Amino acid sequence: MTGPDRPTVKVLVWDLDDTLWDGTVLEGDDPAPFPAATAALRALDERGVLHAVASRSDPAIAAAHLERLGLHELFTVLEIGWGPKSGAVRRIAEAIGIGLDTVAFVDNDPVERAEVAAAHPVVRCYPAEEVAVLAERPEFRPEFVTADARLRRLRYRGEARREQAREEHQGTPEEFLASLGLELTIRQARPDDLARAHELTVRTHQLNTTGRTYGLAELRALCDSPDHRVLVAELTDRFGEYGTIGLALSERTRHREGDGPDGPAEVLRLLLLSCRVMSRGVGPALIGHVVRAALAEGRRPLAEFVPTDVNRVMLVNLRFAGFTVVGQEEGGRLLLGYPAAAPPPPAPGHLRLLTPGPGATPGPHDPRTMP
């Protein structure tokens, strides 16, 4: 069952011979895939469960057979060779960047399953005859199936191409970043964004300013509130889409600082980013957009920050964007403010910023601002 100790499966690792297909390619067979296996592949792929291969075979021959069957694109990582499958499973988890407790393994050979289970007790292992019912098991049913989840495989494959390009790049990291052709779209959240926004609040901890979580009903109410602004950020580059990678939730209010008069303000209650885009300069761009939107309405930009053991980088992002600490509450909660006389921060030069939708504030790289 799933739960705090048994999370939902994120990757299903497949054996090939006599598990995915009916036969052994190295014995001269031309095996067809089991219908139950292809049905499970596609059903789980639709839910955002990734697929990988850990198989004892010749890598070129096995991969070529996957291509002939039209199944190659469904797999994110291929580990085909002659070493222990426990090692292959570990490398798959490392390549994708997930914990072994979210990995499952299916193989027709009980010895192979036992070897993986002994090396990685948290990996769930299944015999090949259970393939037909895997999609019905609760551990393969995420709480929400978002549009981002359905495209997860394509995004991981795009990330692999990015990493290869980064390794082959001869210039500086800054030049590589500029070569990606990054486009950041920041827009008001729509109803079909709310499941992904909720998912981000409960899953993102390192790049999160306050750690607040919001249920679907809360997010829906905030989107409908005239006193709140809920923004989502989407990123693309020349290798494809990253998906929805950021969320900014702010409240229009009044604020009194020290003994001075109160005035209109916009308080950033939550800013979070996916760890996948930590090195892309998205944080300063999203913060800058929130600041410009607040200033355009004549409001003082403010931001809350709740320090944790892992989110200091978000405080660094706020400080580099121009925010300074204006107050501190019990428990370490900080209130930061944008200097009243300071101009709006510019967008990073390596990003093209797009702000579509009604009421959006165009950024300096938005095509609508170009002459």
Side-chain angles (χ1 to χ4, degrees):
M1 59 183 296
T2 57
D5 299 321
R6 302 293 283 175
T8 303
V9 171
K10 294 180 180 178
V11 177
L12 177 58
V13 180
W14 293 75
D15 172 50
L16 294 179
D17 295 332
D18 296 318
T19 299
L20 179 64
W21 50 56
D22 187 10
T24 305
V25 290
L26 288 185
E27 293 180 359
D29 298 337
D30 186 18
F34 291 108
T38 55
L41 278 168
R42 299 188 187 283
L44 296 177
D45 181 68
E46 279 289 307
R47 298 176 196 171
V49 177
L50 300 175
H51 297 292
V53 168
S55 179
R56 291 182 185 277
S57 188
D58 178 276
I61 293 174
H65 194 59
L66 280 170
E67 289 271 16
R68 284 194 297 274
L69 296 175
L71 298 177
H72 188 274
E73 288 297 315
L74 287 172
F75 291 93
T76 304
V77 181
L78 302 182
E79 280 283 344
I80 304 172
W82 303 107
K85 289 192 178 178
S86 60
V89 169
R90 174 182 51 79
R91 289 190 295 273
I92 288 166
E94 291 173 350
I96 296 175
I98 59 171
L100 284 166
D101 60 344
T102 62
V103 176
F105 174 66
V106 59
D107 197 305
N108 69 298
D109 189 335
V111 175
E112 300 284 19
R113 297 196 303 271
E115 190 269 331
V116 170
H120 309 302
V122 295
V123 173
R124 282 159 278 194
C125 299
Y126 304 91
E129 55 265 28
E130 291 189 17
V131 162
V133 298
L134 288 184
E136 301 172 12
R137 299 180 66 99
E139 62 265 35
F140 289 93
R141 291 187 171 275
E143 181 182 3
F144 299 104
V145 179
T146 65
D148 273 61
R150 294 190 182 97
L151 296 173
R152 190 164 288 148
R153 165 177 50 90
L154 297 178
R155 288 171 182 153
Y156 271 94
R157 292 177 71 91
E159 189 59 34
R161 293 192 294 271
R162 287 183 195 99
E163 181 60 22
Q164 180 179 351
R166 187 193 65 80
E167 292 176 356
E168 295 173 352
H169 185 72
Q170 299 298 313
T172 66
E174 293 76 17
E175 290 170 339
F176 173 70
L177 206 58
S179 76
L180 289 176
L182 289 158
E183 290 191 352
L184 179 67
T185 300
I186 304 173
R187 58 175 176 78
Q188 297 177 23
R190 301 187 295 253
D192 58 355
D193 295 312
L194 299 187
R196 172 58 175 164
H198 165 73
E199 182 182 43
L200 282 170
T201 69
V202 299
R203 292 181 58 181
T204 305
H205 305 289
Q206 186 175 2
L207 304 183
N208 187 320
T209 55
T210 60
R212 288 191 176 96
T213 61
Y214 294 89
L216 289 178
E218 290 177 289
L219 288 168
R220 191 172 293 110
L222 290 169
C223 286
D224 293 337
S225 167
D227 296 326
H228 292 84
R229 193 194 309 267
V230 182
L231 301 174
V232 293
E234 300 165 326
L235 189 65
T236 64
D237 66 14
R238 62 188 174 94
F239 294 103
E241 300 180 4
Y242 293 74
T244 302
I245 46 77
L247 176 69
L249 195 158
S250 58
E251 180 181 5
R252 298 176 175 97
T253 184
R254 299 188 71 81
H255 172 68
R256 179 186 294 275
E257 183 179 326
D259 296 326
D262 64 355
E266 183 160 348
V267 184
L268 187 60
R269 301 294 187 191
L270 174 70
L271 176 75
L272 61 82
L273 299 170
S274 167
C275 291
R276 293 183 293 122
V277 298
M278 180 184 294
S279 62
R280 298 294 188 260
V282 172
L286 183 51
I287 293 169
H289 175 77
V290 171
V291 168
R292 289 190 294 273
L295 292 176
E297 295 182 359
R299 296 181 177 276
R300 170 87 184 277
L302 301 171
E304 289 185 317
F305 181 79
V306 178
T308 69
D309 292 337
V310 295
N311 73 343
R312 180 172 174 77
V313 66
M314 295 304 281
L315 179 59
V316 172
N317 272 305
L318 288 167
R319 296 297 296 268
F320 269 108
F323 282 83
T324 58
V325 176
V326 297
Q328 183 169 358
E329 300 177 9
E330 188 176 350
R333 179 187 298 271
L334 302 178
L335 181 67
L336 296 98
Y338 195 79
H350 65 276
L351 275 172
R352 184 182 183 212
L353 183 60
L354 306 175
T355 57
T361 304
H365 294 269
D366 191 301
R368 291 173 295 165
T369 69
M370 304 298 286

